[in-house]
């Protein structure tokens, strides 16, 4: 299939909208499949770091001892 002009290649005898939209949708899905795990990993690592900062210095035995009667 050969086209004389760029316009003819984009139109593809009336089928261009379907062909090019399929290419665009495929490209978007591939980009999403590549980026999605990275975004989820960053969020997980950030949540884990925040949880570790919250728990840093927390000693359960000291907390129990401070609530004991007579302390």
């Amino acid at each position: 299939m050969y086209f004389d002009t760029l316009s003819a290649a984009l139109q593809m005898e009336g089928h261009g909208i379907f062909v090019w939209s399929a290419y665009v949708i495929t490209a978007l899905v591939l980009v999403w499949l590549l980026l999605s795990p990275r975004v989820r990993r960053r969020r997980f690592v950030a949540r884990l770091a925040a949880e570790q900062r919250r728990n840093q210095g927390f000693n359960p035995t000291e907390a129990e001892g401070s609530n004991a009667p007579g302390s």
Side-chain angles (χ1 to χ4, degrees), residues 49-69:
E51 185 177 338
Q52 286 178 342
R53 282 192 303 270
R54 280 193 306 271
N55 292 334
Q56 187 176 13
F58 177 73
N59 188 345
T61 56
E62 289 178 4
E64 289 175 8
S66 64
N67 291 335

Side-chain angles (χ1 to χ4, degrees), residues 10 14 32 34 38 47 59:
L10 292 175
W32 180 74
L34 290 172
R38 292 179 183 173
R47 242 183 288 140
N59 188 345

Side-chain angles (χ1 to χ4, degrees), residues 4-19:
D4 294 329
T5 64
L6 179 61
S7 176
L10 292 175
Q11 291 178 4
M12 292 186 181
E13 297 175 1
H15 300 289
I17 189 72
F18 304 108
V19 173

